[in-house]
């Protein structure tokens, strides 16, 4: 067998393996999560909107299996728990914090000794949630908090 024939077969085998690898990675976990989200009873209506934080699945175009379930709209009170930057939990309800979320409370930011409500940032809210033991009232619509108020 000649050297050029061996090289040709080797290159053909490498090309075949590369093409197979690309084919197999074309159907990643994002594809299956997207299919699950579109087959849910409420469709894409329970995913975060365009006002979601930059690092959220809505901004990046992918779906997240831990998004709040359909029917999680309403006003909820409970202990605030940190899940990830911009994603928190009040009681048993997960929610996203958007740039336009109204966040107020002396224990979240400002002076906890004053009764006046202070306007806070999403970073302040994340820090307060990480510190723990903060009771809040959250108004949630389509998985995104419209307002978070310290109780």
């Amino acid at each position: 067998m000649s050297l050029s024939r061996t090289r040709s077969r080797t290159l053909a085998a490498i090309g075949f393996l590369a093409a197979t690898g690309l084919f197999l990675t074309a159907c990643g976990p994002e594809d299956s999560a997207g299919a699950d989200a579109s087959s849910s009873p409420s469709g894409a209506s329970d995913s975060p909107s365009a006002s979601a934080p930059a690092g959220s699945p809505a901004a990046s175009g992918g779906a997240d299996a831990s998004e709040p379930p359909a029917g999680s709209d309403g006003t909820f009170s409970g202990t605030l728990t940190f899940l990830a930057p911009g994603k928190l939990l009040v009681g048993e309800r997960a929610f996203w914090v958007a740039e336009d979320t109204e966040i107020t409370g002396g224990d979240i930011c400002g002076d906890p000794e004053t009764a006046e409500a202070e306007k806070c940032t999403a970073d302040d809210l994340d820090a307060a949630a990480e510190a723990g033991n903060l009771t809040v009232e959250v108004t949630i619509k389509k998985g995104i908090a419209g307002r978070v108020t310290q109780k």
Side-chain angles (χ1 to χ4, degrees):
M1 190 181 273
S2 71
L3 184 59
S4 66
R5 180 180 258 177
T6 304
R7 282 186 189 160
S8 295
R9 287 184 179 174
T10 302
L11 289 174
I14 290 172
F16 174 76
L17 290 175
T20 303
L22 289 173
F23 174 77
L24 291 175
T25 59
C27 297
E30 293 84 20
D31 292 343
S32 63
D36 291 342
S38 65
S39 65
S40 68
S42 61
S45 66
D46 60 339
S47 65
S49 70
S51 63
S56 75
S60 62
D64 185 0
S66 59
E67 289 177 10
S72 63
D73 290 358
T75 301
F76 305 95
S77 295
T79 302
L80 189 66
T81 305
F82 180 83
L83 297 175
K87 185 170 185 180
L88 304 170
L89 192 71
V90 60
E92 301 270 330
R93 304 286 183 177
F95 65 93
W96 292 102
V97 178
E99 291 176 12
D100 60 347
T101 300
E102 294 177 35
I103 305 167
T104 56
D107 284 339
I108 299 171
C109 67
D111 184 7
E113 298 297 319
T114 63
E116 296 177 14
E118 304 250 351
K119 285 193 168 197
C120 305
T121 67
D123 290 336
D124 294 332
L125 187 62
D126 284 347
E130 285 180 313
N133 240 2
L134 181 66
T135 302
V136 294
E137 181 177 272
V138 183
T139 302
I140 301 172
K141 184 173 181 182
K142 294 186 180 180
I144 300 173
R147 180 177 38 223
V148 179
T149 308
Q150 174 186 341
K151 293 287 287 183

